[in-house]
Amino acid sequence: MLGILRKEFPGLEIGALSIGKHKNSPFLNEDGYVITKNTFAVIDGSAPRVDLKFNGKSTARFATDVAINVLLATNPSVNGKELVVAITKGLNKEIDKIGIRDIIQRTKEACPAALFTAARIVKDKVIVTALGDVACRINGKIIHACYFETERLMTIKRILQMRKAKKKNPSISDEELQGIGRLAIQEDLKEQVRNYFNNPNSELGLGIINGDPVPDKFIKTYTFNLKDIKTLELFSDGYFVLADNAEIESWEKAFFAGEKEDPLRWSKYPAVKAASKNMFSDDRTIVVINLARK
């Protein structure tokens, strides 16, 4: 399949695929991934709430690239809160380096932000650090998944307005419905940034890399024996249908089946985003590690 990166390290066979939602502009992909002999990660840049570019990048891409660089530069023994702190520090360093601190302070929703899950081999262990909704599956079993209450509420609101419009005008186009859905949650997306990012005191709070300290409650860490792992999969929320097996082709098959079955993402696979002629429903990134026993 075009676009799959395949790598091998001693005892490891790795495949990765990252595809942006803009079908005609793949360079706008705001996801990213890391693959080394001991560090594997998927990073999901938080969708921009404002149309600003920093160093020619969207706020999401800016944050994703910072996370990638920190993961590549740090020792694999850096995990959990220590890793989140390191990435946060890296983001703040880049924000100050290009002089956008004032912009962010005036308009909080302009702040670059990203979520990630990283798996790192440390001697005979695999340590997984997860912040947000980039999921992880080991030996076919989900060991980390996260669903934001703010997104659930926005999804309900979006779909309600779309269904009202459809009832009022049964011949309304899918494109018009999508516009109505986007408009319905436009301010909620900004409110999510202003009030709920890294807010431990609200039931709507969520953890994210955005330059602010990340409360411990949002950082998830899992430890496994390396010898017990046969397959490890990391995938962004762009893959909203689980694959049957640990193969990228299987993930892609499941993705396209879901896109075809519910492109508006308002029935079987409700979400805040939808697919259209020129757009997939979201950026999507998958990293699959097979631990080959030689």
Side-chain angles (χ1 to χ4, degrees):
M1 181 180 293
L2 187 66
I4 297 179
L5 173 70
R6 299 197 187 276
K7 279 192 173 186
E8 289 191 18
F9 297 103
L12 301 172
E13 297 174 353
I14 305 163
L17 180 67
S18 187
I19 298 177
K21 58 181 174 286
H22 297 273
K23 296 179 182 179
N24 299 321
S25 303
F27 60 90
L28 295 176
N29 186 3
E30 292 166 337
D31 279 2
Y33 63 82
V34 171
I35 295 174
T36 72
K37 64 181 181 180
N38 48 35
T39 295
F40 321 101
V42 167
I43 304 96
D44 184 354
S46 179
R49 273 57 167 178
V50 293
D51 187 18
L52 288 175
K53 296 288 188 291
F54 298 139
N55 273 5
K57 304 174 183 178
S58 71
T59 57
R61 186 72 239 179
F62 187 91
T64 291
D65 286 346
V66 168
I68 289 172
N69 290 336
V70 173
L71 284 160
L72 289 171
T74 51
N75 189 285
S77 62
V78 177
N79 293 287
K81 182 176 182 179
E82 186 181 6
L83 179 57
V84 172
V85 169
I87 299 175
T88 299
K89 182 178 179 180
L91 180 59
N92 280 317
K93 182 179 179 181
E94 290 303 310
I95 286 172
D96 291 332
K97 182 178 179 181
I98 66 171
I100 60 174
R101 180 69 62 187
D102 287 347
I103 295 174
I104 292 167
Q105 288 177 342
R106 290 195 306 268
T107 310
K108 192 169 184 179
E109 56 267 31
C111 188
L115 306 157
F116 79 95
T117 293
R120 311 186 94 172
I121 298 175
V122 183
K123 296 181 180 178
D124 62 345
K125 304 291 184 182
V126 171
I127 301 175
V128 177
T129 302
L131 182 66
D133 59 358
V134 175
C136 179
R137 190 165 78 164
I138 291 180
N139 298 341
K141 180 181 179 181
I142 294 288
I143 64 99
H144 175 79
C146 178
Y147 306 96
F148 301 135
E149 181 65 9
T150 47
E151 288 213 357
R152 187 185 74 82
L153 294 174
M154 282 189 280
T155 298
I156 292 171
K157 187 174 182 179
R158 167 186 177 267
I159 292 172
L160 178 62
Q161 293 305 313
M162 291 168 67
R163 293 204 179 283
K164 283 182 177 179
K166 183 70 171 179
K167 185 177 181 179
K168 185 176 180 180
N169 178 15
S171 62
I172 190 172
S173 68
D174 285 358
E175 185 178 356
E176 289 176 289
L177 283 174
Q178 286 189 45
I180 289 168
R182 283 194 299 271
L183 186 61
I185 62 172
Q186 186 173 303
E187 289 305 312
D188 298 87
L189 286 164
K190 294 179 181 180
E191 184 182 356
Q192 183 189 49
V193 177
R194 291 191 293 257
N195 297 328
Y196 303 120
F197 277 11
N198 292 322
N199 181 353
N201 301 316
S202 170
E203 62 181 12
L204 300 180
L206 62 100
I208 193 166
I209 299 293
N210 72 339
D212 292 335
V214 180
D216 291 357
K217 66 180 287 186
F218 297 127
I219 304 168
K220 307 300 180 184
T221 307
Y222 312 87
T223 302
F224 302 90
N225 292 319
L226 178 61
K227 65 181 179 60
D228 295 333
I229 299 178
K230 296 180 180 179
T231 60
L232 190 156
E233 300 157 280
L234 305 170
F235 50 99
S236 67
D237 64 342
Y239 284 103
F240 56 96
V241 183
L242 294 178
D244 291 333
N245 52 60
E247 295 178 357
I248 291 178
E249 291 81 358
S250 182
W251 281 97
E252 283 289 280
K253 181 180 178 180
F255 170 79
F256 280 107
E259 291 277 280
K260 183 177 181 180
E261 189 173 5
D262 185 15
L264 287 178
R265 302 295 298 276
W266 69 335
S267 56
K268 187 171 183 179
Y269 304 110
V272 296
K273 303 173 184 177
S276 65
K277 180 181 179 181
N278 296 315
M279 301 266 287
F280 297 115
S281 57
D282 201 354
D283 300 334
R284 65 189 190 274
T285 301
I286 175 78
V287 172
V288 176
I289 302 101
N290 283 279
L291 282 80
R293 306 302 182 190
K294 304 270 179 149

